[in-house]
Amino acid sequence: MKPILHALAGLGLLTSVPALAAVSEQDVVAQYANVAHAVFADALQSAKTLQGSVDTLLAAPSDANLQKARTAWKAARVPYQQSEVFRFGNTNVDEWEGQLNAWPLDEGLIDYVVTGKYHHELGNVGANANIIANTSLKLGSDTLDLANITPELLASLNELGGSEANVATGYHAIEFLLWGQDLNGSGPGAGNRAYTDYVQGTGCTNGHCDRRAAYLKAATQLLVSDLANMEQQWAPGKDNYRAELLKAKPDAGLVKMLYGMGSLALGELAGERLKVALEANSPEDEHDCFSDNTHYSHFYDALGIENIYLGRYQRVDGTAVKGASLSDLVAAKSPDTDKAVKAQFSKTMAAMQKLVDSAESTRSPMKFDQMIAENNPAGQALVKDAIAQLVVLTRQIETAAKTIGVDDLNPDTADHEF
Amino acid sequence: MKPRFVRKSRYEKKNRYVRKKMQLLLLIVALLSLAACNDDMTPGQRWLATTTEQIRQGYQQLSAQTRAQQQMADAFCQQPDAQGLQTMQAAWRESMASWQHMQWLRMGPIAQDNDDWKLQFWPDKKNILQRKMQDILEGSEPVSADSLVHASVVVQGFSAQELLLFDPQFATVEKFAGRQCDLLRASTTLTARVGQKLADAWQDETWLKRWVAPTATQAGLTPAHVRNGEILDALLAQIERIKNDKLGEPMGLKTRDKKPNGYFAESWRSENSLANLQNNLLAVQQLIRPAQGYGLFQYLKDSQQQALADEMVIKLDNAQQALQQIHPPLTSAVTDAAQQPALQNAHRALGELATFCKQKLAPALGLTLGFNSNDGD
């Protein structure tokens, strides 16, 4: 496509048809890297803001400061969730992300839980380790020294004892430390941890407030440094992952883009995050189960997918990052296909918006964990529609891929390339 | 991996009139269960006709076994005793076998109302099943099939029955005295209903017409080619599921320090995991080389792809043999050092079978791969 369009442009045949502006595959992959950099830079910046709020909370525990930290956590999720589309296809992001966004987690690993309201993974030896309450942990013949809570220690405790549910770090560990267990099942209400869990000395609730504060501080610190590393991987003008990506053949980059979009849309978002929770009627399988912020996490995941197709991203400060897009490439080959894909993105985002509207309604809010309740057909219908739209969207992404000559979206192949 | 077609098989090239005629013929053939041979059909149509007949028979079998299980549950609950419990356990294994035989097919009627999850909810790492079953047993509302059908799919199917019949916390004669028997009867009734519904759906002429003549996703492809591609895609997805989820998960291969966990095996409570796997592969084998009719093996041979046909059979046979070398049950084999070579070998053989399907078989058949629900975490 590229040479033909260039040739036509050279002859002046395209000058009156701006819709067919000759973007190259290379331009599109470069814009993908630009979007990635902006998204990760925003994620870093908003994590730093969260870190500031956490420091304030720990220095002066109060309900107001706890609420501020929670608000900062929610704001930090906005850019981060839009980064999830970069996971699949970019091995370096996928290997890195577990430390930041692994879920579901067995929170008894981290802190106190209410027995009878806590359900952990079968066979998880670390499910009740309670790192905050214990300065050492005996696992089989090994004894782990937990006395000094540092970012490094927490990172080393992920997947403790071989269980993926042992998540010691990242957004969801911090979420648990800010909200606590959601004890309401499919009823209204999120986690309700009191700020007094962070009061030092007299007034400390649930014990070990010093270690809880140290844990929250270390986990936030690790989040910031992890995001800083990833932001650097996508920064221009450096010897980094971005440079490697742009050096490789552009079609390898297109495969990563399309594979990331489809895998997130179908297997991860529609499947793991929506369908499992819905069909099992299981709030345990809710993504942001402590804060009840799940609707936004899903919304911004989907928006992240759309960002890649349109080659755009709206930064937290409102500025737009716009450039050559997959949409341009598809439109140049088949305007009808591009139109259909865009229309399906609109439908998908509208379905996601309905989840948000329901959860954020001031009159009668219905959060995600209420939508999936056994006796809530209206709520279930919202989730079902979101799944259905994502499934159709995935097929449209496949069609878009074929239109621009990407036939093989096989993940094994994607892994083997460059 | 959703295969999509990039080019048309030369065996599918028929003019429109003939193609239409063939579709009708194929439908008639399917309806009359005469899939064995018909000289007027293309190889692709013959392959599809045989597969269709196998699916119909598979669902008939599922329906019969689940009906038998339900009847046994009714009889058992008249007067629960130790022998009756054993009979129930055997009936569950038979029903489960008939389901495992059909588990690969995730499209068509079974996908319309999420019936596959109603038949079996798995994986269930957090043991949602036990919690939800406990809630029902401790509740006061009467338990019947008509009430259970509105509950979570988790408590409706084979996994729920397995918990009641095999988990030491539940599977004692005394426990079946009251509500637990109501729950067993309700659950086996729902499973039998789904079995019946699927068997009926595959007798339905309107559906069969749609099945043999799907709307092609790309211009120029014959309906049989489209459908055969989907069938192959479903088989590949099942092979990957066996390798990654049914074997790889309990072996601990998905975690950083590769620690095995027998609870992640399918059917760990009944220790039926390896029987499930053998049944899954037997189903693949029978689809490839049916005792009667025209399978993929023959299709490849007739497409001058004898070497590929032979390789496919060898790869499948290797995987089946390798699984047989694992000493049951899988739940304890994964933590037994002596069993590690056999486990690794089976995992590798399944991987080679999947890779063969993706890298050799799919391209040779003119298929390309896209997304399926296995992609993601």
Side-chain angles (χ1 to χ4, degrees):
Chain A
M1 181 217 77
K2 202 172 43 174
I4 295 170
L5 276 182
H6 280 162
L8 290 173
L11 292 168
L13 293 175
L14 284 178
T15 47
S16 60
V17 194
L20 286 181
V23 307
S24 72
E25 293 181 348
Q26 187 69 54
D27 294 341
V28 172
V29 178
Q31 175 62 8
Y32 173 69
N34 291 340
V35 170
H37 183 243
V39 170
F40 284 115
D42 277 359
L44 171 61
Q45 192 49 52
S46 56
K48 283 180 177 168
T49 307
L50 169 64
Q51 189 177 30
S53 312
V54 163
D55 288 346
T56 306
L57 168 68
L58 299 182
S62 69
D63 191 49
N65 284 339
L66 177 60
Q67 298 307 332
K68 278 182 195 156
R70 287 177 177 176
T71 305
W73 184 89
K74 286 185 180 178
R77 295 291 284 168
V78 172
Y80 182 79
Q81 289 303 99
Q82 290 178 79
S83 85
E84 284 223 274
V85 70
F86 296 99
R87 259 181 74 186
F88 306 99
N90 296 293
T91 317
N92 67 323
V93 183
D94 199 32
E95 286 170 353
W96 161 91
E97 80 88 38
Q99 193 158 297
L100 286 89
N101 199 36
W103 78 286
L105 65 159
D106 285 351
E107 60 268 27
L109 170 79
I110 298 174
D111 200 359
Y112 69 91
V113 288
V114 176
T115 320
K117 292 272 191 178
Y118 171 54
H119 309 288
H120 61 78
E121 191 174 271
L122 284 165
N124 178 7
V125 292
N128 291 295
N130 196 346
I131 297 165
I132 284 172
N134 293 290
T135 51
S136 70
L137 175 64
K138 200 166 159 39
L139 266 191
S141 54
D142 296 337
T143 301
L144 301 176
D145 179 5
L146 308 177
N148 193 13
I149 298 178
T150 61
E152 296 73 30
L153 174 79
L154 296 183
S156 75
L157 295 173
N158 280 323
E159 290 197 11
L160 181 75
S163 176
E164 279 183 301
N166 287 329
V167 178
T169 65
Y171 287 101
H172 297 297
I174 296 170
E175 181 194 5
F176 171 56
L177 289 168
L178 293 177
W179 272 271
Q181 265 182 297
D182 181 349
L183 302 173
N184 307 296
S186 286
N192 196 22
R193 187 188 288 277
Y195 76 90
T196 49
D197 272 9
Y198 293 99
V199 169
Q200 302 303 312
T202 320
C204 160
T205 48
N206 296 302
H208 316 288
C209 288
D210 53 337
R211 287 180 59 82
R212 189 171 296 110
Y215 196 121
L216 179 56
K217 197 175 175 65
T220 314
Q221 206 181 323
L222 183 65
L223 182 72
V224 169
S225 62
D226 281 345
L227 286 164
N229 288 337
M230 189 48 70
E231 185 266 337
Q232 283 301 299
Q233 286 302 312
W234 294 92
K238 293 187 185 313
D239 182 17
N240 57 5
Y241 181 76
R242 177 201 182 96
E244 213 182 311
L245 180 72
L246 298 186
K247 238 181 348 210
K249 281 193 288 182
D251 51 347
L254 295 182
V255 170
K256 285 174 194 299
M257 295 169 73
L258 290 156
Y259 178 65
M261 293 164 68
S263 297
L264 178 57
L266 188 69
E268 187 63 24
L269 188 51
E272 292 291 322
R273 298 193 190 176
L274 291 169
K275 190 179 173 190
V276 172
L278 173 73
E279 296 297 340
N281 312 107
S282 170
E284 298 290 327
D285 288 286
E286 183 189 9
H287 193 61
D288 298 358
C289 68
F290 308 115
S291 62
D292 278 355
N293 195 50
T294 305
H295 51 287
Y296 273 131
S297 282
H298 294 344
F299 178 89
Y300 287 113
D301 262 349
L303 186 64
I305 302 170
E306 190 178 39
N307 288 343
I308 302 310
Y309 188 70
L310 299 177
R312 63 105 209 258
Y313 167 63
Q314 186 178 327
R315 297 202 62 159
V316 170
D317 68 6
T319 55
V321 179
K322 278 175 77 175
S325 66
L326 284 173
S327 171
D328 295 335
L329 289 181
V330 174
K333 285 270 184 184
S334 164
D336 286 349
T337 302
D338 178 56
K339 223 170 124 184
V341 177
K342 279 179 177 163
Q344 187 54 36
F345 268 115
S346 297
K347 281 186 172 178
T348 306
M349 290 317 297
M352 291 294 161
Q353 185 65 50
K354 281 189 189 161
L355 298 183
V356 171
D357 292 346
S358 163
E360 292 294 318
S361 159
T362 45
R363 213 160 37 87
S364 54
M366 191 209 307
K367 304 285 187 191
F368 186 80
D369 55 2
Q370 296 168 271
M371 293 175 204
I372 58 171
E374 284 178 21
N375 51 3
N376 186 359
Q380 291 187 11
L382 293 176
V383 182
K384 275 183 190 158
D385 186 46
I387 294 171
Q389 297 303 339
L390 284 163
V391 169
V392 178
L393 180 65
T394 309
R395 300 302 163 225
Q396 293 283 8
I397 292 169
E398 285 175 346
T399 308
K402 271 191 220 99
T403 304
I404 58 171
V406 175
D407 285 327
D408 194 354
L409 292 168
N410 184 339
D412 287 354
T413 314
D415 282 350
H416 292 161
E417 275 161 7
F418 112 135
Chain B
M1 269 38 52
K2 195 85 189 161
R4 290 288 186 266
F5 297 85
V6 287
R7 65 168 194 274
K8 202 160 115 177
S9 154
R10 59 203 168 97
Y11 296 96
E12 305 294 342
K13 286 178 186 168
K14 292 257 173 189
N15 70 41
R16 213 168 167 182
Y17 166 75
V18 174
R19 219 157 56 212
K20 201 165 172 78
K21 191 175 151 202
M22 288 306 118
Q23 286 165 21
L24 287 171
L25 263 176
L26 176 59
L27 174 63
I28 292 159
V29 167
L31 287 172
L32 296 180
S33 309
L34 290 172
C37 183
N38 187 314
D39 289 344
D40 287 341
M41 290 160 69
T42 66
Q45 287 170 329
R46 291 173 68 188
W47 173 20
L48 179 59
T50 296
T51 306
T52 305
E53 188 50 34
Q54 286 180 299
I55 292 169
R56 284 150 54 86
Q57 285 174 11
Y59 280 135
Q60 293 286 353
Q61 179 72 5
L62 175 68
S63 177
Q65 293 293 352
T66 53
R67 176 71 58 205
Q69 183 188 226
Q70 183 206 345
Q71 286 164 353
M72 274 184 211
D74 288 346
F76 168 64
C77 285
Q78 298 288 323
Q79 198 177 356
D81 59 20
Q83 202 190 343
L85 182 55
Q86 276 186 12
T87 311
M88 273 313 301
Q89 290 174 337
W92 181 88
R93 288 189 202 277
E94 291 290 315
S95 295
M96 188 61 166
S98 64
W99 161 237
Q100 290 290 325
H101 202 79
M102 291 308 296
Q103 197 189 40
W104 66 274
L105 186 65
R106 304 201 154 226
M107 58 184 154
I110 197 164
Q112 280 164 21
D113 199 20
N114 209 26
D115 283 334
D116 55 347
W117 288 33
K118 287 180 187 163
L119 287 173
Q120 184 192 16
F121 181 78
W122 186 82
D124 178 21
K125 290 181 172 182
K126 283 210 169 193
N127 205 8
I128 304 169
L129 172 65
Q130 180 159 349
R131 199 152 64 249
K132 288 195 179 278
M133 293 291 273
Q134 201 73 53
D135 286 350
I136 294 172
L137 290 171
E138 287 166 5
S140 54
E141 297 283 310
V143 181
S144 67
D146 292 333
S147 67
L148 201 65
V149 76
H150 300 295
S152 164
V153 294
V154 177
V155 297
Q156 293 188 20
F158 286 112
S159 301
Q161 294 141 25
E162 184 195 17
L163 174 109
L164 297 179
L165 294 170
F166 293 93
D167 192 300
Q169 278 190 55
F170 299 85
T172 60
V173 173
E174 306 77 59
K175 295 254 180 171
F176 280 100
R179 284 177 76 79
Q180 188 161 311
C181 243
D182 296 342
L183 186 49
L184 179 69
R185 291 179 60 191
S187 171
T188 53
T189 303
L190 289 184
T191 299
R193 278 186 199 167
V194 175
Q196 180 75 54
K197 185 179 143 194
L198 294 171
D200 289 349
W202 282 86
Q203 304 294 333
D204 179 69
E205 202 170 316
T206 313
W207 161 247
L208 284 169
K209 275 182 184 158
R210 274 176 51 207
W211 170 253
V212 298
T215 314
T217 51
Q218 248 180 285
L221 300 176
T222 70
H225 199 166
V226 169
R227 200 56 94 186
N228 288 330
E230 288 180 356
I231 289 165
L232 196 68
D233 171 35
L235 289 177
L236 172 61
Q238 175 76 342
I239 292 164
E240 291 192 318
R241 198 164 189 246
I242 296 170
K243 170 183 161 263
N244 298 331
D245 300 345
K246 295 191 179 197
L247 200 57
E249 279 275 12
M251 286 171 73
L253 300 182
K254 283 194 180 172
T255 58
R256 193 165 63 179
D257 61 1
K258 313 283 180 236
K259 189 138 188 271
N261 184 344
Y263 291 118
F264 291 175
E266 187 190 35
S267 305
W268 61 269
R269 288 186 168 93
S270 56
E271 298 186 339
N272 213 54
S273 319
L274 285 167
N276 290 355
L277 294 179
Q278 292 288 6
N279 263 312
N280 296 150
L281 287 188
L282 183 63
V284 176
Q285 182 198 315
Q286 289 176 358
L287 285 160
I288 289 173
R289 287 188 98 166
Q292 289 180 323
Y294 191 90
L296 178 56
F297 181 79
Q298 194 62 41
Y299 178 88
L300 287 171
K301 271 179 71 177
D302 291 350
S303 314
Q304 328 304 323
Q305 303 263 23
Q306 176 77 52
L308 207 64
D310 291 339
E311 191 179 349
M312 174 177 70
V313 169
I314 290 167
K315 289 272 192 294
L316 176 61
D317 191 52
N318 285 347
Q320 288 174 300
Q321 301 273 355
L323 278 176
Q324 275 168 11
Q325 301 308 312
I326 303 170
H327 193 266
L330 181 62
T331 41
S332 46
V334 291
T335 49
D336 180 353
Q339 297 277 319
Q340 294 312 304
L343 287 162
Q344 297 290 349
N345 193 37
H347 190 262
R348 190 176 55 241
L350 285 162
E352 284 172 6
L353 178 61
T355 304
F356 168 80
C357 291
K358 280 195 276 195
Q359 295 184 355
K360 286 194 175 173
L361 194 54
L365 293 167
L367 310 175
T368 179
L369 303 171
F371 299 109
N372 74 15
S373 55
N374 289 344
D375 297 336
D377 272 344

